[in-house]
Amino acid sequence: MFPVHGKSYEVIVVGAGHAGCEAALAAARLGCATLLLTMNMDTVGLMSCNPAIGGLAKGHLVKEIDALGGEMGHNVDATGIQFRTLNTKKGPAVRASRAQADRNLYRMRMKQVVEDQPGLDLKQGSVKSLLLEGTRVVGVTTREGLSFAGRTVILTTGTFLQGLVHVGLTNFPSGRAGEPPSEGISDQLRALGLRVGRLKTGTPARLDANSIDFSRLEAQPGDDPPRPFSFMTRQITTPQVPCHITYTNARTHDIIRAGLDRSPLYTGKISGVGARYCPSIEDKVMRFPEKEQHQVFLEPEGLGTREVYPNGVSTSLPPDVQLAFLRTIAGLERVEIMRPGYAIEYDFFPPTQLRPTLETRAIAGLYHAGQVNGTSGYEEAAAQGLVAGINAALACRGTEPLVLTRDSSYIGVLIDDLVTLGTEEPYRMFTSRSEYRLLLREDNADERLTPLGRKMGLVDEQRWRQFCTKQDQVRRGRDLLAGQRIRPAQSEILERLGLGEMKNARTLEELLRRPEVSLVDLRDLEPELGTLPPAVAEQLEIRTKYAGYIARQQEMVERFRRTEEVRIPEGFDYRAVAGLTAEVREKLDRVRPLTLGQASRISGVTPAALAILSVALRRR
């Protein structure tokens, strides 16, 4: 047995980024003695890239994290300096929330939450290896020579595993600009049989606001009033500021093309696969030569700093080329760079090596969450961290794990995509990845997940009372809509609503289904509707107007569940199933799906193979 430093833990979390903070908080809130280890205690919850939370589909993830009892929504509500709802002109399934955060306030508040959490110890240390007994993890050892015992370990190492930063043709080991990489873990897990891949991401230069001519830019204000992320937040109290928009041009693109001979991306210095949906400006210019301009979204880094994040011009070109092309952009003619942009390569573990609980198949008690699983984005990382923390705690309790399904949440879609399909490039969540977008809206995330969070013990009494009150109000609103009928004789009211042609009596619910009628229009007919909180009114209107579509998606879910509920035994021998091709056997054996439904989503597993497998399972 190894010498242990201090007390033993039930859950050890390695890395204190967005995944690590959610994992550690969840485990501690579920009653487990938890240790959160970070290389630098001053970077807990640091926003390494852009200072924003949410966005298309990512906002859904934040709402779901909040509904389950996670922290990200609370944190951005307390530190956000601009809130906007995206896709307001589109349907409710694809509307999404996004917020600019004060980077320093976000980090400091998250650190305080972690420090104040009972049962959670925050310590500084760089983990160099895992401690194992056979194929079970039993702790970690740090570069500083300390060993900590733990029944479970969660790796949330972000871009730090064998991290290599590129600025032009110069590169150096680093997990993030100015911070050392994590070395040792990749080699150890590779030796234990885990596959290791290489990915790449990048970030733009940070600009000095005093050197920007904002009068030449298009201002983009936030919503007034700002809409919070957390279902618990009543009001945003931080000062709100605008963002600004500008564009690249032909001269910008010429300078970028002329600098490609010093680009690590185009000279073969970078081997990792980059993000398809967040390419560098070099990639945009070369892949889309027909585009005359690309948008640059200038995001303030905070209220107490001059740094500005130019979203849209991520780059690893040399600093002199970065400055040259930036100064061709309107409003940035005299801009000064405070920090140059860079690319970073790092190790990840292809996520098909995980169970749906995010535990590794090869090593019992070892969980992975965040960029180490091949994802990109704070929100995807936090969602995985929350699930990994919950499942590590449940494993210590000896109770059934949490497996979120595709019809319950975007978190379920995210994890199922990762462990079933895997990824060869940084994975980003989109609403188009879900088959049931209309059921998985932002507005009903609490309805879908808060009862589950309560059952597990993450939802406290205050949140539960507030949730129950909201559900009672939704039921009362539905009763009001269904209980009152409007007759043709009430012509004055109907004319005002543009329904003068109505011949038969209709309930308020039936009237609300018409596209030209809103819930606000019906308040004169039923004054009690005007007393409902905005969140309740929004949910009522969406449920009513899209009732037919929602019912059809629920029918699809029921059909899907019939295959999803067909379990595949843990040690099922696919070699014994006659009729399966060698390719299908190899893929099924690698992923080890838990259900027939999960097997159906593995690339290359054909309908014919599923039929053969279904028969074999029934015979068994």
Side-chain angles (χ1 to χ4, degrees):
M1 186 65 179
F2 54 89
V4 175
H5 176 76
K7 63 185 179 185
S8 296
Y9 294 92
E10 292 174 288
V11 179
I12 297 176
V13 181
V14 180
H18 303 280
C21 288
E22 293 290 351
L25 288 168
R29 288 168 178 172
L30 290 176
C32 288
T34 303
L35 171 64
L36 178 57
L37 279 170
T38 175
M39 285 184 171
N40 185 348
M41 287 178 55
D42 295 326
T43 59
V44 172
L46 180 67
M47 306 177 91
S48 305
C49 200
N50 66 318
I53 295 292
L56 302 180
K58 294 170 176 282
H60 292 71
L61 290 173
V62 181
K63 291 276 191 177
E64 291 178 353
I65 291 166
D66 181 72
L68 281 167
E71 193 61 34
M72 179 173 267
H74 283 295
N75 213 54
V76 72
D77 285 352
T79 60
I81 56 178
Q82 189 194 90
F83 292 76
R84 291 187 67 229
T85 303
L86 309 180
N87 278 349
T88 54
K89 295 181 180 178
K90 296 185 178 181
V94 296
R95 291 176 201 151
S97 301
R98 187 179 189 272
Q100 298 296 140
D102 184 306
R103 184 193 299 275
N104 283 330
L105 291 180
Y106 189 97
R107 170 183 60 82
M108 288 189 293
R109 183 190 179 278
M110 186 62 85
K111 184 185 179 191
Q112 182 179 357
V113 170
V114 167
E115 289 179 337
D116 292 346
Q117 175 60 50
L120 173 56
D121 291 346
L122 173 64
K123 296 182 185 293
Q124 185 163 300
S126 177
V127 173
K128 71 172 185 179
S129 63
L130 304 176
L131 295 167
L132 301 166
E133 288 182 357
T135 57
R136 170 168 287 281
V137 69
V138 292
V140 299
T141 296
T142 71
R143 186 173 55 194
E144 295 78 11
L146 301 176
S147 294
F148 296 94
R151 293 177 59 189
T152 59
V153 173
I154 305 173
L155 285 186
T156 68
T157 46
T159 61
F160 279 75
L161 292 182
Q162 302 294 132
L164 185 67
V165 160
H166 296 265
V167 184
L169 299 182
T170 300
N171 59 59
F172 49 89
S174 181
R176 188 162 48 202
E179 297 181 63
S182 173
E183 298 175 337
I185 296 176
S186 295
D187 290 339
Q188 181 186 20
L189 291 183
R190 186 186 285 111
L192 290 168
L194 270 72
R195 289 175 287 118
V196 183
R198 196 81 169 153
L199 294 179
K200 165 254 176 188
T201 188
T203 190
R206 305 306 197 272
L207 311 181
D208 187 338
N210 287 359
S211 65
I212 297 173
D213 184 357
F214 288 100
S215 67
R216 301 198 58 204
L217 307 180
E218 175 190 342
Q220 186 180 72
D223 295 341
D224 187 17
R227 296 184 57 173
F229 270 98
S230 176
F231 291 97
M232 297 294 289
T233 303
R234 286 288 166 258
Q235 187 178 8
I236 301 299
T237 58
T238 47
Q240 300 293 287
V241 299
C243 295
H244 291 81
I245 296 173
T246 186
Y247 297 89
T248 64
N249 53 58
R251 191 165 159 236
T252 315
H253 301 172
D254 287 343
I255 291 173
I256 290 169
R257 280 190 285 263
L260 292 181
D261 62 333
R262 297 164 63 200
S263 163
L265 196 61
Y266 283 86
T267 55
K269 294 284 185 181
I270 293 177
S271 60
V273 181
R276 178 189 304 265
Y277 301 104
C278 190
S280 67
I281 188 63
E282 301 96 292
D283 256 352
K284 290 181 188 177
V285 168
M286 297 305 292
R287 285 165 52 189
F288 309 106
E290 73 284 357
K291 293 204 70 170
E292 297 179 355
Q293 62 180 27
H294 295 281
Q295 180 177 285
V296 183
F297 190 58
L298 298 177
E299 307 176 25
E301 296 257 338
L303 301 174
T305 178
R306 300 202 313 263
E307 285 190 81
V308 172
Y309 182 97
N311 199 333
V313 287
S314 174
T315 183
S316 56
L317 286 164
D320 61 304
V321 180
Q322 293 184 36
L323 184 62
F325 82 68
L326 285 167
R327 286 185 170 179
T328 66
I329 298 171
L332 307 184
E333 291 87 352
R334 297 184 178 181
V335 77
E336 293 291 343
I337 290 176
M338 298 181 78
R339 310 186 200 206
Y342 62 88
I344 183 168
E345 291 185 276
Y346 56 95
D347 286 348
F348 85 109
F349 302 97
T352 50
Q353 301 172 102
L354 301 174
R355 304 177 191 276
T357 59
L358 297 182
E359 184 182 23
T360 60
R361 295 181 184 279
I363 303 171
L366 177 64
Y367 297 77
H368 289 176
Q371 284 175 289
V372 74
N373 285 339
T375 60
S376 66
Y378 309 144
E379 304 81 5
E380 290 90 342
Q384 294 171 69
L386 179 66
V387 171
I390 290 170
N391 279 323
L394 295 178
C396 292
R397 285 183 183 174
T399 57
E400 282 295 308
L402 170 69
V403 177
L404 293 171
T405 58
R406 298 183 70 89
D407 60 283
S408 72
S409 59
Y410 275 95
I411 301 176
V413 173
L414 165 68
I415 293 174
D416 185 65
D417 279 355
L418 292 174
V419 304
T420 303
L421 304 175
T423 187
E424 296 178 353
E425 62 187 43
Y427 176 102
R428 178 177 176 176
M429 178 52 70
F430 293 102
T431 53
S432 59
R433 294 191 188 273
S434 171
E435 309 91 313
Y436 311 115
R437 291 189 293 278
L438 200 49
L439 300 181
L440 307 183
R441 309 182 307 274
E442 276 195 3
D443 67 273
N444 71 352
D446 57 342
E447 182 181 5
R448 291 183 278 116
L449 296 174
T450 296
L452 182 57
R454 177 69 171 178
K455 179 181 177 183
M456 289 184 301
L458 274 182
V459 169
D460 62 21
E461 193 62 37
Q462 182 185 359
R463 180 183 285 270
W464 183 246
R465 282 199 307 269
Q466 186 170 310
F467 169 75
C468 291
T469 298
K470 179 184 174 184
Q471 296 309 111
D472 288 343
Q473 290 169 330
V474 170
R475 282 189 288 270
R476 181 164 67 90
R478 296 183 75 176
D479 290 342
L480 291 172
L481 291 173
Q484 185 172 153
R485 301 178 73 82
I486 303 301
R487 293 174 173 77
Q490 296 169 281
S491 56
E492 180 183 340
I493 295 173
L494 295 174
E495 288 290 345
R496 191 168 70 247
L497 295 175
L499 303 173
E501 83 291 350
M502 198 174 82
K503 304 301 181 187
N504 301 310
R506 293 285 188 270
T507 64
L508 296 183
E509 183 177 23
E510 290 172 313
L511 295 183
L512 186 56
R513 285 180 186 156
R514 294 178 175 243
E516 68 272 25
V517 178
S518 71
L519 197 68
V520 173
D521 296 325
L522 302 180
R523 288 176 180 175
D524 289 342
L525 301 174
E526 178 48 79
E528 271 199 74
L529 291 173
T531 67
L532 298 174
V536 173
E538 177 188 40
Q539 198 166 107
L540 272 177
E541 188 154 354
I542 292 171
R543 279 186 176 190
T544 304
K545 286 191 177 298
Y546 294 88
Y549 298 103
I550 291 171
R552 281 201 286 276
Q553 286 212 343
Q554 286 171 333
E555 289 173 7
M556 289 172 59
V557 168
E558 290 307 314
R559 290 198 297 272
F560 164 78
R561 279 180 180 160
R562 284 196 283 273
T563 54
E564 196 64 26
E565 289 172 359
V566 178
R567 305 286 297 180
I568 300 176
E570 177 77 24
F572 189 78
D573 185 4
Y574 295 103
R575 293 170 300 178
V577 181
L580 294 180
T581 65
E583 178 192 2
V584 168
R585 284 197 184 98
E586 187 271 328
K587 289 183 175 181
L588 289 169
D589 206 46
R590 186 180 71 239
V591 176
R592 305 303 301 178
L594 297 183
T595 67
L596 194 60
Q598 188 185 358
S600 72
R601 295 187 291 278
I602 299 172
S603 175
V605 177
T606 63
L610 282 174
I612 292 168
L613 182 58
S614 177
V615 170
L617 290 170
R618 283 202 301 270
R619 285 176 178 167
R620 181 183 174 97

